[in-house]
């Protein structure tokens, strides 16, 4: 039982209530004022705190935590081809992915993230890290037309992707997806095969889409349409598709996205840092699209902090539209919770009876968090990731009083420092 806090359920009606949340076997079984007759094995006192659904990081490359700050202040093209790709070819292996992902999971869960979506290589290692730390995750082996650190070519990558899905299907916390990198880095054949695999297994297809102006211009040159319209032509929008970024978007894309129920993950800090552009999120929401929030990888952000991301998203669109009424705080918090979970097809995102017990207790004791007038405003404009006190994922207490209970944090930091030093020398 979690008791005593102000509960923001993040349901469609925006219900807030004071009372208790009873949890059994990973689910919320009762919600409301002083639950009589609930037998309590363990009680978490959240008095004076806010209780919210766990935050959902809709897009990241967790293992890139090892490459945090390795190359900054560069355009995407140069950043990728001169720095990230060569570094990945030299040093990405199972060991680096495991420890980098474990570090990322620690950062995420301490900041109230209970679920995340990840695209990288050696994805089994990400799955182990997520499971050991105790996070929910949608994970997919990255697919490329050429060789990757984990595969000689696309056919081997597809085999790895399918074996991954087979291995983790039905797991409580780890949910598989199929992750072709982007339309410019995958062949038509690979995109078709990836889509077919996703539909055959009934899992989402996750792709970077329309991130930069060059990507859209390139698609126009090659196929005479935008990347989304190209995917439609290939028949790959039939199943559940998650588009990360979706920055350079025209009216026809929004119409098509709404018709195909495309899920979008908005990554404003990464888009800003790489000067990719600003996604038309208010327009997407007007079209009824489900839009989640993502950090993108820690090499392009450079943190995994959804409080910072919410704060930035809420302000960015106001500046761009010259209108302070767009993306109000509650709507942004919805993107980081309910809409994020919906976009990824994962449980959680709402505090409701029968729903997943993914909960975050945010403390209000710090000077920057005092006084409290409007809890939504508080969470988006004033709170910090470090205000997260306790985190429950799937009914399990993972963080208590700012300490991660599940894995050894000091060991993880030490291993990542050593791997980063090795990468520097390579
Ligand atoms: Zn990405």
């Amino acid at each position: 039982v979690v008791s005593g806090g102000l509960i923001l359920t993040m349901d469609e009606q925006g219900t807030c209530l004071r009372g208790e949340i009873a949890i059994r076997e990973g689910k919320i079984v009762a919600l409301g004022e002083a639950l009589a007759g609930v037998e309590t094995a363990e009680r978490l006192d959240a008095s004076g705190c806010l209780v919210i659904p766990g935050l959902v990081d809709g897009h990241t490359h967790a293992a890139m935590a090892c490459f945090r700050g390795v190359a900054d202040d560069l355009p995407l093209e140069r950043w990728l081809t001169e720095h990230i790709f060569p570094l990945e070819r030299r040093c990405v292996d199972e060991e680096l992915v495991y420890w980098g992902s474990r570090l990322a999971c620690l950062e995420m869960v301490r900041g109230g993230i209970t679920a995340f979506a990840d695209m990288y290589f050696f994805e089994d290692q990400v799955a182990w890290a997520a499971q050991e730390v105790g996070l929910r995750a949608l994970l997919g082996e990255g697919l490329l037309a050429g060789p990757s650190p984990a595969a000689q070519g696309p056919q081997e990558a597809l085999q790895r992707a399918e074996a991954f899905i087979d291995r983790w299907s039905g797991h409580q916390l780890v949910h598989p997806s199929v992750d072709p990198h982007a339309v410019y880095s995958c062949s038509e054949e690979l995109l078709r095969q990836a889509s077919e695999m996703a539909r055959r297994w009934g899992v989402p297809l996750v792709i970077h889409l329309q991130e930069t102006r060059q990507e859209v211009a390139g698609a126009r040159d090659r196929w005479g349409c935008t990347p989304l319209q190209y995917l439609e032509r290939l028949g790959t929008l039939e199943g559940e598709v998650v588009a990360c970024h979706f920055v350079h978007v025209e009216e026809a894309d929004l119409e098509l996205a709404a018709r195909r129920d495309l899920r979008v993950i908005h990554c404003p800090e990464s888009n800003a840092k790489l000067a990719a552009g600003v996604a038309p999120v208010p327009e997407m929401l007007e079209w009824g699209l489900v839009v989640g929030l993502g950090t993108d990888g820690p090499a392009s952000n450079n943190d995994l902090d959804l409080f910072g991301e919410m704060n930035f998203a809420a302000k960015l669109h106001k500046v761009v539209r010259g209108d302070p009424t767009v993306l109000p705080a509650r709507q942004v918090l919805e993107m980081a919770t309910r809409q994020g979970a919906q976009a990824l097809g994962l449980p959680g995102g709402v505090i409701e009876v029968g729903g997943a017990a993914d909960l975050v207790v945010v403390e209000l004791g710090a000077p920057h968090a005092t006084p409290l007038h409007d809890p939504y405003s508080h969470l988006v404009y004033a709170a910090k990731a470090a205000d997260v006190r306790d985190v429950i994922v799937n009914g399990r207490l993972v963080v208590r009083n700012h300490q991660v209970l599940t894995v050894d944090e000091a060991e993880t930091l030490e291993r990542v420092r050593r791997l980063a030093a090795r990468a520097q020398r390579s």
Side-chain angles (χ1 to χ4, degrees), residues 351-408:
I351 298 176
E352 61 186 358
V353 173
D358 293 6
L359 304 170
V360 172
V361 176
V362 182
E363 66 187 2
L364 300 170
H368 68 258
T370 308
L372 175 70
H373 290 293
D374 174 339
Y376 298 108
S377 154
H378 216 71
L379 290 163
V380 172
Y381 295 121
K384 314 276 178 221
D387 297 331
V388 168
R389 194 190 71 182
D390 314 299
V391 179
I392 294 169
V393 190
N394 201 40
R396 178 188 189 195
L397 193 59
V398 177
V399 178
R400 174 164 223 162
N401 202 17
H402 307 279
Q403 300 300 311
V404 178
L405 305 176
T406 47
V407 299
D408 186 338

Short mmCIF file of all heavy atoms in Angstrom, two decimals, residues 351-408:
data_model
loop_
_atom_site.label_atom_id
_atom_site.label_comp_id
_atom_site.label_asym_id
_atom_site.label_seq_id
_atom_site.Cartn_x
_atom_site.Cartn_y
_atom_site.Cartn_z
N ILE A 351 -2.69 5.69 -13.18
CA ILE A 351 -2.95 5.02 -11.90
C ILE A 351 -4.42 4.65 -11.87
O ILE A 351 -5.29 5.52 -11.75
CB ILE A 351 -2.57 5.92 -10.71
CG1 ILE A 351 -1.06 6.23 -10.75
CG2 ILE A 351 -2.93 5.24 -9.38
CD1 ILE A 351 -0.57 7.20 -9.68
N GLU A 352 -4.72 3.36 -12.05
CA GLU A 352 -6.12 2.91 -12.09
C GLU A 352 -6.19 1.47 -11.59
O GLU A 352 -5.22 0.72 -11.71
CB GLU A 352 -6.67 3.01 -13.53
CG GLU A 352 -5.91 2.14 -14.51
CD GLU A 352 -6.33 2.31 -15.97
OE1 GLU A 352 -7.26 3.09 -16.24
OE2 GLU A 352 -5.72 1.65 -16.83
N VAL A 353 -7.35 1.12 -11.07
CA VAL A 353 -7.53 -0.24 -10.58
C VAL A 353 -7.44 -1.21 -11.76
O VAL A 353 -8.05 -0.99 -12.81
CB VAL A 353 -8.89 -0.39 -9.85
CG1 VAL A 353 -9.16 -1.85 -9.49
CG2 VAL A 353 -8.88 0.48 -8.60
N GLY A 354 -6.63 -2.24 -11.60
CA GLY A 354 -6.42 -3.20 -12.68
C GLY A 354 -5.21 -2.87 -13.53
O GLY A 354 -4.75 -3.68 -14.32
N GLY A 355 -4.69 -1.65 -13.39
CA GLY A 355 -3.53 -1.23 -14.16
C GLY A 355 -2.23 -1.66 -13.51
O GLY A 355 -2.20 -2.11 -12.37
N ALA A 356 -1.15 -1.52 -14.27
CA ALA A 356 0.17 -1.89 -13.76
C ALA A 356 0.55 -0.97 -12.60
O ALA A 356 0.30 0.23 -12.64
CB ALA A 356 1.20 -1.77 -14.88
N ALA A 357 1.20 -1.55 -11.58
CA ALA A 357 1.66 -0.77 -10.44
C ALA A 357 3.05 -0.21 -10.74
O ALA A 357 4.06 -0.70 -10.25
CB ALA A 357 1.66 -1.63 -9.19
N ASP A 358 3.09 0.80 -11.61
CA ASP A 358 4.32 1.54 -11.93
C ASP A 358 4.11 2.94 -11.38
O ASP A 358 3.39 3.75 -11.98
CB ASP A 358 4.54 1.60 -13.45
CG ASP A 358 4.82 0.24 -14.08
OD1 ASP A 358 4.75 -0.78 -13.36
OD2 ASP A 358 5.10 0.20 -15.29
N LEU A 359 4.72 3.23 -10.24
CA LEU A 359 4.41 4.46 -9.50
C LEU A 359 5.67 5.19 -9.07
O LEU A 359 6.70 4.57 -8.80
CB LEU A 359 3.63 4.12 -8.22
CG LEU A 359 2.34 3.32 -8.39
CD1 LEU A 359 1.85 2.87 -7.03
CD2 LEU A 359 1.29 4.16 -9.09
N VAL A 360 5.55 6.52 -9.00
CA VAL A 360 6.68 7.34 -8.59
C VAL A 360 6.22 8.29 -7.48
O VAL A 360 5.17 8.94 -7.60
CB VAL A 360 7.21 8.15 -9.79
CG1 VAL A 360 8.26 9.17 -9.35
CG2 VAL A 360 7.80 7.22 -10.85
N VAL A 361 7.01 8.35 -6.42
CA VAL A 361 6.74 9.29 -5.33
C VAL A 361 7.73 10.45 -5.46
O VAL A 361 8.95 10.24 -5.43
CB VAL A 361 6.90 8.60 -3.95
CG1 VAL A 361 6.70 9.61 -2.82
CG2 VAL A 361 5.91 7.44 -3.83
N VAL A 362 7.19 11.67 -5.64
CA VAL A 362 8.03 12.85 -5.81
C VAL A 362 7.95 13.69 -4.55
O VAL A 362 6.85 14.07 -4.11
CB VAL A 362 7.53 13.70 -7.01
CG1 VAL A 362 8.44 14.91 -7.23
CG2 VAL A 362 7.46 12.85 -8.28
N GLU A 363 9.11 13.98 -3.95
CA GLU A 363 9.05 14.75 -2.70
C GLU A 363 9.03 16.26 -2.99
O GLU A 363 9.42 16.71 -4.06
CB GLU A 363 10.15 14.32 -1.73
CG GLU A 363 11.50 14.54 -2.04
CD GLU A 363 12.56 13.94 -1.11
OE1 GLU A 363 12.29 13.25 -0.11
OE2 GLU A 363 13.71 14.21 -1.43
N LEU A 364 8.46 16.97 -2.03
CA LEU A 364 8.21 18.40 -2.24
C LEU A 364 8.96 19.27 -1.26
O LEU A 364 8.67 20.44 -1.10
CB LEU A 364 6.70 18.67 -2.10
CG LEU A 364 5.79 17.92 -3.06
CD1 LEU A 364 4.33 18.09 -2.66
CD2 LEU A 364 5.99 18.41 -4.48
N GLY A 365 9.98 18.70 -0.60
CA GLY A 365 10.61 19.41 0.51
C GLY A 365 11.63 20.47 0.12
O GLY A 365 11.96 21.34 0.92
N ALA A 366 12.15 20.43 -1.10
CA ALA A 366 13.24 21.33 -1.47
C ALA A 366 12.74 22.76 -1.68
O ALA A 366 11.57 22.97 -2.00
CB ALA A 366 13.91 20.81 -2.73
N PRO A 367 13.62 23.76 -1.51
CA PRO A 367 13.21 25.15 -1.74
C PRO A 367 12.58 25.37 -3.13
O PRO A 367 11.56 26.04 -3.25
CB PRO A 367 14.54 25.92 -1.62
CG PRO A 367 15.38 25.08 -0.74
CD PRO A 367 15.00 23.66 -1.02
N HIS A 368 13.16 24.75 -4.17
CA HIS A 368 12.62 24.97 -5.52
C HIS A 368 11.24 24.33 -5.70
O HIS A 368 10.58 24.56 -6.70
CB HIS A 368 13.60 24.46 -6.59
CG HIS A 368 13.75 22.97 -6.61
ND1 HIS A 368 14.82 22.31 -6.06
CD2 HIS A 368 12.94 22.00 -7.10
CE1 HIS A 368 14.68 21.01 -6.22
NE2 HIS A 368 13.54 20.79 -6.83
N ALA A 369 10.84 23.48 -4.76
CA ALA A 369 9.56 22.79 -4.89
C ALA A 369 8.53 23.32 -3.88
O ALA A 369 7.51 22.69 -3.64
CB ALA A 369 9.77 21.29 -4.68
N THR A 370 8.77 24.47 -3.32
CA THR A 370 7.90 25.03 -2.29
C THR A 370 7.45 26.43 -2.67
O THR A 370 8.29 27.21 -3.13
CB THR A 370 8.67 25.11 -0.94
OG1 THR A 370 9.24 23.82 -0.68
CG2 THR A 370 7.77 25.53 0.20
N PRO A 371 6.19 26.81 -2.51
CA PRO A 371 5.05 26.00 -2.06
C PRO A 371 4.38 25.29 -3.24
O PRO A 371 4.81 25.45 -4.37
CB PRO A 371 4.11 27.06 -1.49
CG PRO A 371 4.32 28.24 -2.40
CD PRO A 371 5.78 28.21 -2.76
N LEU A 372 3.35 24.53 -2.94
CA LEU A 372 2.63 23.80 -3.99
C LEU A 372 1.27 24.45 -4.25
O LEU A 372 0.43 24.50 -3.36
CB LEU A 372 2.42 22.35 -3.55
CG LEU A 372 1.58 21.49 -4.51
CD1 LEU A 372 2.34 21.21 -5.80
CD2 LEU A 372 1.20 20.17 -3.86
N HIS A 373 1.07 24.95 -5.46
CA HIS A 373 -0.26 25.45 -5.85
C HIS A 373 -0.91 24.49 -6.83
O HIS A 373 -2.00 24.00 -6.61
CB HIS A 373 -0.15 26.84 -6.47
CG HIS A 373 0.22 27.90 -5.47
ND1 HIS A 373 -0.63 28.27 -4.46
CD2 HIS A 373 1.34 28.63 -5.32
CE1 HIS A 373 -0.04 29.21 -3.73
NE2 HIS A 373 1.16 29.44 -4.22
N ASP A 374 -0.20 24.22 -7.95
CA ASP A 374 -0.76 23.37 -9.00
C ASP A 374 0.22 22.22 -9.24
O ASP A 374 1.36 22.46 -9.66
CB ASP A 374 -0.93 24.23 -10.27
CG ASP A 374 -1.37 23.41 -11.48
OD1 ASP A 374 -1.18 22.17 -11.47
OD2 ASP A 374 -1.88 24.02 -12.42
N PRO A 375 -0.19 20.99 -8.95
CA PRO A 375 0.78 19.87 -9.05
C PRO A 375 1.33 19.66 -10.46
O PRO A 375 2.48 19.25 -10.62
CB PRO A 375 -0.03 18.65 -8.57
CG PRO A 375 -1.46 19.05 -8.64
CD PRO A 375 -1.51 20.54 -8.46
N TYR A 376 0.51 19.92 -11.49
CA TYR A 376 1.00 19.72 -12.87
C TYR A 376 2.09 20.73 -13.19
O TYR A 376 3.14 20.41 -13.74
CB TYR A 376 -0.15 19.84 -13.88
CG TYR A 376 -1.23 18.82 -13.68
CD1 TYR A 376 -2.47 19.18 -13.17
CD2 TYR A 376 -1.01 17.47 -13.99
CE1 TYR A 376 -3.47 18.23 -12.97
CE2 TYR A 376 -2.00 16.52 -13.79
CZ TYR A 376 -3.22 16.91 -13.28
OH TYR A 376 -4.20 15.97 -13.09
N SER A 377 1.81 21.98 -12.85
CA SER A 377 2.78 23.05 -13.05
C SER A 377 4.08 22.72 -12.32
O SER A 377 5.18 22.86 -12.85
CB SER A 377 2.19 24.36 -12.53
OG SER A 377 3.23 25.25 -12.15
N HIS A 378 3.90 22.24 -11.10
CA HIS A 378 5.03 21.88 -10.25
C HIS A 378 5.94 20.86 -10.93
O HIS A 378 7.15 21.02 -11.00
CB HIS A 378 4.45 21.26 -8.99
CG HIS A 378 5.21 21.58 -7.77
ND1 HIS A 378 5.20 22.83 -7.23
CD2 HIS A 378 6.02 20.82 -7.01
CE1 HIS A 378 5.97 22.81 -6.16
NE2 HIS A 378 6.48 21.61 -6.02
N LEU A 379 5.32 19.79 -11.44
CA LEU A 379 6.10 18.69 -12.00
C LEU A 379 6.81 19.08 -13.29
O LEU A 379 7.92 18.64 -13.55
CB LEU A 379 5.18 17.48 -12.24
CG LEU A 379 4.71 16.80 -10.95
CD1 LEU A 379 3.51 15.90 -11.21
CD2 LEU A 379 5.85 16.00 -10.32
N VAL A 380 6.15 19.92 -14.09
CA VAL A 380 6.73 20.26 -15.40
C VAL A 380 7.69 21.45 -15.30
O VAL A 380 8.73 21.46 -15.95
CB VAL A 380 5.60 20.53 -16.42
CG1 VAL A 380 6.16 21.09 -17.73
CG2 VAL A 380 4.82 19.25 -16.68
N TYR A 381 7.35 22.44 -14.47
CA TYR A 381 8.14 23.68 -14.48
C TYR A 381 9.11 23.83 -13.31
O TYR A 381 10.01 24.65 -13.38
CB TYR A 381 7.21 24.89 -14.52
CG TYR A 381 6.41 24.98 -15.79
CD1 TYR A 381 5.02 24.98 -15.78
CD2 TYR A 381 7.06 25.06 -17.03
CE1 TYR A 381 4.29 25.06 -16.95
CE2 TYR A 381 6.33 25.14 -18.21
CZ TYR A 381 4.95 25.13 -18.17
OH TYR A 381 4.24 25.20 -19.33
N ALA A 382 8.92 23.08 -12.22
CA ALA A 382 9.77 23.31 -11.05
C ALA A 382 10.51 22.06 -10.58
O ALA A 382 11.66 22.16 -10.14
CB ALA A 382 8.93 23.86 -9.89
N ALA A 383 9.88 20.91 -10.68
CA ALA A 383 10.49 19.70 -10.10
C ALA A 383 11.72 19.26 -10.89
O ALA A 383 11.87 19.57 -12.07
CB ALA A 383 9.47 18.57 -10.05
N LYS A 384 12.60 18.53 -10.22
CA LYS A 384 13.82 17.98 -10.83
C LYS A 384 13.76 16.46 -10.70
O LYS A 384 13.11 15.93 -9.79
CB LYS A 384 15.07 18.46 -10.09
CG LYS A 384 15.11 19.93 -9.78
CD LYS A 384 15.62 20.75 -10.94
CE LYS A 384 15.59 22.23 -10.63
NZ LYS A 384 15.14 23.01 -11.79
N ALA A 385 14.52 15.80 -11.57
CA ALA A 385 14.58 14.33 -11.48
C ALA A 385 15.03 13.90 -10.08
O ALA A 385 14.60 12.86 -9.57
CB ALA A 385 15.52 13.79 -12.55
N ALA A 386 15.89 14.70 -9.46
CA ALA A 386 16.42 14.35 -8.14
C ALA A 386 15.36 14.43 -7.04
O ALA A 386 15.59 13.97 -5.92
CB ALA A 386 17.60 15.25 -7.79
N ASP A 387 14.19 15.00 -7.34
CA ASP A 387 13.11 15.03 -6.35
C ASP A 387 12.38 13.69 -6.25
O ASP A 387 11.54 13.50 -5.37
CB ASP A 387 12.09 16.12 -6.70
CG ASP A 387 12.70 17.51 -6.65
OD1 ASP A 387 13.65 17.71 -5.89
OD2 ASP A 387 12.23 18.40 -7.40
N VAL A 388 12.67 12.79 -7.18
CA VAL A 388 12.05 11.46 -7.12
C VAL A 388 12.61 10.72 -5.91
O VAL A 388 13.82 10.55 -5.78
CB VAL A 388 12.34 10.67 -8.42
CG1 VAL A 388 11.96 9.20 -8.26
CG2 VAL A 388 11.59 11.30 -9.60
N ARG A 389 11.70 10.31 -5.00
CA ARG A 389 12.16 9.66 -3.77
C ARG A 389 12.05 8.13 -3.86
O ARG A 389 12.99 7.42 -3.53
CB ARG A 389 11.32 10.17 -2.59
CG ARG A 389 11.90 9.83 -1.22
CD ARG A 389 10.94 10.12 -0.09
NE ARG A 389 9.83 9.16 -0.09
CZ ARG A 389 8.82 9.20 0.77
NH1 ARG A 389 8.76 10.17 1.69
NH2 ARG A 389 7.86 8.30 0.72
N ASP A 390 10.87 7.65 -4.30
CA ASP A 390 10.65 6.20 -4.37
C ASP A 390 10.06 5.83 -5.73
O ASP A 390 9.30 6.60 -6.31
CB ASP A 390 9.66 5.75 -3.29
CG ASP A 390 9.97 6.34 -1.93
OD1 ASP A 390 11.06 6.08 -1.41
OD2 ASP A 390 9.12 7.10 -1.41
N VAL A 391 10.41 4.65 -6.20
CA VAL A 391 9.89 4.18 -7.48
C VAL A 391 9.47 2.72 -7.36
O VAL A 391 10.22 1.89 -6.85
CB VAL A 391 10.94 4.31 -8.60
CG1 VAL A 391 10.39 3.81 -9.93
CG2 VAL A 391 11.42 5.76 -8.74
N ILE A 392 8.25 2.44 -7.84
CA ILE A 392 7.74 1.07 -7.86
C ILE A 392 7.51 0.69 -9.32
O ILE A 392 6.89 1.46 -10.06
CB ILE A 392 6.41 0.99 -7.08
CG1 ILE A 392 6.65 1.26 -5.59
CG2 ILE A 392 5.74 -0.38 -7.26
CD1 ILE A 392 5.37 1.46 -4.79
N VAL A 393 8.05 -0.45 -9.73
CA VAL A 393 7.79 -0.93 -11.09
C VAL A 393 7.20 -2.33 -11.00
O VAL A 393 7.78 -3.21 -10.36
CB VAL A 393 9.06 -0.97 -11.96
CG1 VAL A 393 8.70 -1.24 -13.42
CG2 VAL A 393 9.87 0.32 -11.85
N ASN A 394 6.06 -2.50 -11.64
CA ASN A 394 5.40 -3.81 -11.63
C ASN A 394 5.22 -4.32 -10.20
O ASN A 394 5.39 -5.50 -9.91
CB ASN A 394 6.22 -4.80 -12.47
CG ASN A 394 5.38 -5.98 -12.94
OD1 ASN A 394 4.21 -5.81 -13.31
ND2 ASN A 394 5.94 -7.16 -12.91
N GLY A 395 4.89 -3.39 -9.30
CA GLY A 395 4.62 -3.76 -7.91
C GLY A 395 5.86 -3.92 -7.04
O GLY A 395 5.75 -4.15 -5.84
N ARG A 396 7.03 -3.81 -7.63
CA ARG A 396 8.28 -4.04 -6.88
C ARG A 396 8.93 -2.68 -6.56
O ARG A 396 9.04 -1.83 -7.45
CB ARG A 396 9.21 -4.86 -7.76
CG ARG A 396 10.57 -5.17 -7.18
CD ARG A 396 11.40 -5.81 -8.29
NE ARG A 396 12.66 -6.33 -7.80
CZ ARG A 396 13.66 -6.67 -8.61
NH1 ARG A 396 13.52 -6.58 -9.93
NH2 ARG A 396 14.77 -7.13 -8.11
N LEU A 397 9.34 -2.52 -5.32
CA LEU A 397 10.02 -1.29 -4.91
C LEU A 397 11.45 -1.33 -5.45
O LEU A 397 12.25 -2.15 -5.02
CB LEU A 397 9.99 -1.18 -3.39
CG LEU A 397 10.38 0.16 -2.77
CD1 LEU A 397 9.48 1.29 -3.26
CD2 LEU A 397 10.32 0.07 -1.26
N VAL A 398 11.75 -0.46 -6.41
CA VAL A 398 13.07 -0.46 -7.06
C VAL A 398 13.95 0.64 -6.48
O VAL A 398 15.15 0.47 -6.34
CB VAL A 398 12.93 -0.32 -8.60
CG1 VAL A 398 14.29 -0.25 -9.27
CG2 VAL A 398 12.13 -1.48 -9.18
N VAL A 399 13.33 1.79 -6.17
CA VAL A 399 14.07 2.89 -5.54
C VAL A 399 13.37 3.24 -4.23
O VAL A 399 12.15 3.44 -4.22
CB VAL A 399 14.11 4.14 -6.45
CG1 VAL A 399 14.85 5.30 -5.75
CG2 VAL A 399 14.75 3.84 -7.79
N ARG A 400 14.14 3.29 -3.14
CA ARG A 400 13.56 3.73 -1.88
C ARG A 400 14.47 4.81 -1.31
O ARG A 400 15.68 4.60 -1.18
CB ARG A 400 13.48 2.56 -0.90
CG ARG A 400 13.02 2.98 0.48
CD ARG A 400 12.57 1.80 1.30
NE ARG A 400 11.34 2.17 1.98
CZ ARG A 400 10.48 1.33 2.51
NH1 ARG A 400 10.67 0.05 2.40
NH2 ARG A 400 9.42 1.76 3.13
N ASN A 401 13.87 5.95 -1.01
CA ASN A 401 14.63 7.07 -0.46
C ASN A 401 15.88 7.38 -1.31
O ASN A 401 16.97 7.48 -0.79
CB ASN A 401 14.99 6.79 1.00
CG ASN A 401 15.27 8.08 1.75
OD1 ASN A 401 14.90 9.16 1.27
ND2 ASN A 401 15.95 7.97 2.87
N HIS A 402 15.67 7.47 -2.62
CA HIS A 402 16.70 7.83 -3.61
C HIS A 402 17.74 6.73 -3.86
O HIS A 402 18.66 6.94 -4.63
CB HIS A 402 17.43 9.13 -3.21
CG HIS A 402 16.51 10.28 -2.93
ND1 HIS A 402 15.97 11.06 -3.93
CD2 HIS A 402 16.02 10.77 -1.78
CE1 HIS A 402 15.20 11.99 -3.38
NE2 HIS A 402 15.20 11.82 -2.08
N GLN A 403 17.63 5.61 -3.19
CA GLN A 403 18.61 4.54 -3.37
C GLN A 403 18.02 3.41 -4.21
O GLN A 403 16.93 2.94 -3.93
CB GLN A 403 19.03 3.96 -2.01
CG GLN A 403 19.66 4.97 -1.07
CD GLN A 403 20.93 5.59 -1.64
OE1 GLN A 403 21.83 4.89 -2.12
NE2 GLN A 403 21.02 6.93 -1.62
N VAL A 404 18.79 2.98 -5.23
CA VAL A 404 18.34 1.84 -6.04
C VAL A 404 18.60 0.56 -5.24
O VAL A 404 19.71 0.34 -4.74
CB VAL A 404 19.09 1.79 -7.38
CG1 VAL A 404 18.67 0.57 -8.19
CG2 VAL A 404 18.82 3.07 -8.19
N LEU A 405 17.55 -0.26 -5.10
CA LEU A 405 17.63 -1.44 -4.23
C LEU A 405 18.06 -2.70 -4.97
O LEU A 405 18.40 -3.70 -4.35
CB LEU A 405 16.26 -1.69 -3.59
CG LEU A 405 15.64 -0.54 -2.82
CD1 LEU A 405 14.24 -0.93 -2.33
CD2 LEU A 405 16.52 -0.15 -1.64
N THR A 406 18.02 -2.66 -6.30
CA THR A 406 18.11 -3.92 -7.05
C THR A 406 19.51 -4.31 -7.48
O THR A 406 19.84 -5.49 -7.51
CB THR A 406 17.21 -3.84 -8.28
OG1 THR A 406 17.46 -2.58 -8.94
CG2 THR A 406 15.75 -3.95 -7.91
N VAL A 407 20.33 -3.34 -7.89
CA VAL A 407 21.68 -3.68 -8.36
C VAL A 407 22.70 -2.76 -7.68
O VAL A 407 22.36 -1.72 -7.12
CB VAL A 407 21.83 -3.55 -9.90
CG1 VAL A 407 20.90 -4.49 -10.63
CG2 VAL A 407 21.64 -2.11 -10.36
N ASP A 408 23.97 -3.15 -7.77
CA ASP A 408 25.06 -2.40 -7.13
C ASP A 408 25.42 -1.20 -8.01
O ASP A 408 25.96 -1.36 -9.11
CB ASP A 408 26.26 -3.34 -6.95
CG ASP A 408 27.40 -2.69 -6.17
OD1 ASP A 408 27.47 -1.43 -6.14
OD2 ASP A 408 28.21 -3.43 -5.61
#
